Amino acid sequence: MSKKGAKVEEKVYFGRPKNNVTIGLVGLPNVGKSSTFNLLGKLQVPAENYPFCTIDPAVTSVVVPDERFDHLVNLWKPAKEIQAVLAVTDIAGLVKGAAEGKGLGNEFLSNISAVDAIYHVVRKFPGKKVEHVEGDIDPCRDLAIIRAELQKKDLVRVKMALEAEKKKVRSRKPTKVEEMQFGALQKAIDYLDAGKDVRFGEWQAKEIYFLNQFNLLTAKPVVYLVNMGSKAYKEGKKAGKKITAWVAENCPGEPIIAYSAKYESALLKVDDDKKKKLAKKGIGSMIPEIIWAGYRALNLIHFFTTGKDEVRAWSIRKGLKAPQAAGVIHGDFEKFFRAADTYSFDALKEHGDEKAVKEAGKLRTQGKEYVVSDGDIMFFHHTAGGAKKK
């Protein structure tokens, strides 16, 4: 336990410190990435049965389903409603040897570098009509291939970075900051040489700040999507012990979601009543869960702004303070921030409406140090443009 009044080190995450973040669908060819992408965004990108059919990554914005948002819309009945979205990129299939350029590997690994988190799609569905690039179905082998290629690419990058950093101090003694940087890079090399992903290392905040500039592939959080056959999914089968054990051993704590792209495609043609019945049987759509898992992997939360004109969900990175949240709406709101009237969605649900929330003393005026919580409903006071509040 820390001493009273002692400064607590701020939690620092790997990744780019911005709100406009994306998650990429990654995996071997013909595992169902493009089919899954089509389901997520209902945007038809090529999904033919041949390797590398997706050459240029396609991007779509996927609505994040949220019952809280639906409740606010029903309450306010606004003229305009804007939900939170998740940006998803479809990246062409990697193959063994991608880190050395095989199968357009360098280009595809560069596309992975551009996203902030990964949906790792692995194939468990059978079928000779859809050829597997490795010849047979072995999900754990496929998981290991992708992981190894990402590690190889990172290893090359950090070794080059360490060499470049050391060149700068050949004629002088390195500073304490430079020594920390050398140590961070060497630690990354040691982890990767041992077959471990960077994100599972033990790091100090200053090391993460430094390493973030290299945008390492194995620093990105991963959600594992196990694409099984329609029959297996309807029978209630899950990812399986082997896949679960592989993830637990190599990537502990990261989510695994079993689904069937083929079954999900069939669900699109089913009416809402039947969908509800199937969900009660435990064989409903997994798309909402997949979307939320990606949203959480990106360390995103959202706050709401409400009114008769508009109800809107605003996505921000977890841990942001009120002025930075205001800045997502408009840069001047952050610059000229004064305060934020804030109450939780739970308080609104409990008391019924904003007036009752105020009467119950659950609406608070928060200052610059307030850390925004998921589901906060906020009204920002600022002096931008001479305004007193917004």
Side-chain angles (χ1 to χ4, degrees):
M1 181 181 289
S2 60
K3 293 181 180 179
K4 188 175 181 180
K7 186 177 180 181
V8 178
E9 185 176 35
E10 180 185 354
K11 175 68 175 176
V12 179
Y13 299 94
F14 278 111
R16 294 171 289 186
K18 62 189 183 70
N19 297 311
N20 184 23
V21 289
T22 60
I23 186 166
L25 285 156
V26 173
L28 294 174
N30 293 348
V31 297
K33 294 185 311 304
S34 294
S35 296
T36 302
F37 178 84
N38 292 343
L39 289 164
L40 286 169
K42 297 181 182 178
L43 173 67
Q44 295 299 312
V45 298
E48 289 85 358
N49 172 31
Y50 56 90
F52 318 121
C53 69
T54 316
I55 301 300
D56 297 316
V59 182
T60 186
S61 292
V62 181
V63 170
V64 180
D66 192 336
E67 292 180 355
R68 299 173 300 179
F69 180 85
D70 298 337
H71 181 88
L72 292 172
V73 168
N74 288 333
L75 181 65
W76 286 95
K77 294 180 174 52
K80 189 177 182 181
E81 52 189 80
I82 303 176
Q83 294 172 265
V85 296
L86 174 68
V88 182
T89 299
D90 185 25
I91 298 171
L94 294 175
V95 293
K96 189 184 292 184
E100 291 82 39
K102 186 176 179 181
L104 301 179
N106 288 326
E107 180 181 344
F108 299 157
L109 287 166
S110 176
N111 291 335
I112 298 172
S113 183
V115 301
D116 303 278
I118 294 170
Y119 279 135
H120 186 160
V121 183
V122 63
R123 176 177 173 178
K124 201 179 178 186
F125 66 87
K128 293 181 180 179
K129 290 183 180 180
V130 181
E131 180 184 358
H132 193 291
V133 72
E134 290 293 319
D136 62 345
I137 310 300
D138 186 342
C140 291
R141 175 204 60 205
D142 296 351
L143 289 167
I145 287 173
I146 296 296
R147 184 166 176 261
E149 294 304 321
L150 301 187
Q151 289 177 352
K152 288 176 188 176
K153 195 68 176 179
D154 277 354
L155 191 56
V156 170
R157 183 155 197 183
V158 291
K159 283 182 175 179
M160 290 177 63
L162 181 57
E163 185 179 346
E165 291 294 322
K166 286 186 173 180
K167 279 183 180 180
K168 298 176 184 178
V169 297
R170 281 183 177 173
S171 59
R172 62 173 173 83
K173 184 179 178 180
T175 65
K176 287 186 178 181
V177 171
E178 287 169 332
E179 287 179 347
M180 177 277 294
Q181 294 171 345
F182 298 161
L185 288 167
Q186 186 58 56
K187 193 193 295 188
I189 290 170
D190 293 341
Y191 279 126
L192 292 164
D193 273 335
K196 297 179 180 178
D197 289 348
V198 167
R199 66 189 177 282
F200 295 111
E202 294 183 8
W203 303 99
Q204 296 179 30
K206 58 186 177 182
E207 293 175 320
I208 295 176
Y209 275 125
F210 170 67
L211 290 174
N212 271 342
Q213 69 180 289
F214 302 107
N215 202 14
L216 298 175
L217 304 180
T218 64
K220 301 177 189 296
V222 179
V223 177
Y224 294 92
L225 303 182
V226 181
N227 187 11
M228 59 177 57
S230 180
K231 182 181 178 182
Y233 182 79
K234 286 188 286 186
E235 291 173 351
K237 294 181 179 178
K238 303 300 180 184
K241 292 181 180 179
K242 289 183 179 180
I243 295 174
T244 302
W246 188 95
V247 173
E249 179 182 353
N250 296 286
C251 310
E254 293 193 316
I256 308 168
I257 300 175
Y259 76 111
S260 169
K262 186 175 181 180
Y263 180 74
E264 294 285 350
S265 295
L267 273 184
L268 293 176
K269 303 170 186 176
V270 173
D271 62 57
D272 290 341
D273 287 340
K274 189 170 182 179
K275 285 179 183 176
K276 289 177 182 178
K277 291 178 182 177
L278 291 170
K280 286 181 180 179
K281 292 180 180 179
I283 52 173
S285 175
M286 294 301 294
I287 295 301
E289 187 173 334
I290 289 171
I291 293 171
W292 269 108
Y295 200 73
R296 294 188 187 103
L298 288 164
N299 208 32
L300 291 172
I301 62 171
H302 49 259
F303 68 90
F304 302 102
T305 54
T306 59
K308 289 293 184 183
D309 292 335
E310 177 185 274
V311 168
R312 182 164 183 166
W314 301 87
S315 296
I316 60 170
R317 303 301 284 273
K318 186 178 179 181
L320 284 191
K321 295 179 180 179
Q324 288 76 50
V328 173
I329 299 174
H330 194 288
D332 283 350
F333 291 6
E334 179 178 359
K335 186 177 180 181
F336 297 101
F337 176 88
R338 288 178 58 216
D341 293 338
T342 305
Y343 57 95
S344 69
F345 175 81
D346 289 341
L348 178 71
K349 194 79 180 289
E350 178 184 356
H351 296 286
D353 59 31
E354 189 174 284
K355 182 182 178 182
V357 170
K358 290 179 181 178
E359 291 173 350
K362 298 289 182 70
L363 187 150
R364 307 287 176 84
T365 299
Q366 305 288 1
K368 292 182 178 181
E369 294 305 308
Y370 175 71
V371 177
V372 179
S373 295
D374 184 44
D376 275 351
I377 299 169
M378 309 186 77
F379 183 84
F380 295 101
H381 299 255
H382 63 88
T383 56
K388 290 184 178 181
K389 44 171 82 172
K390 179 67 177 178

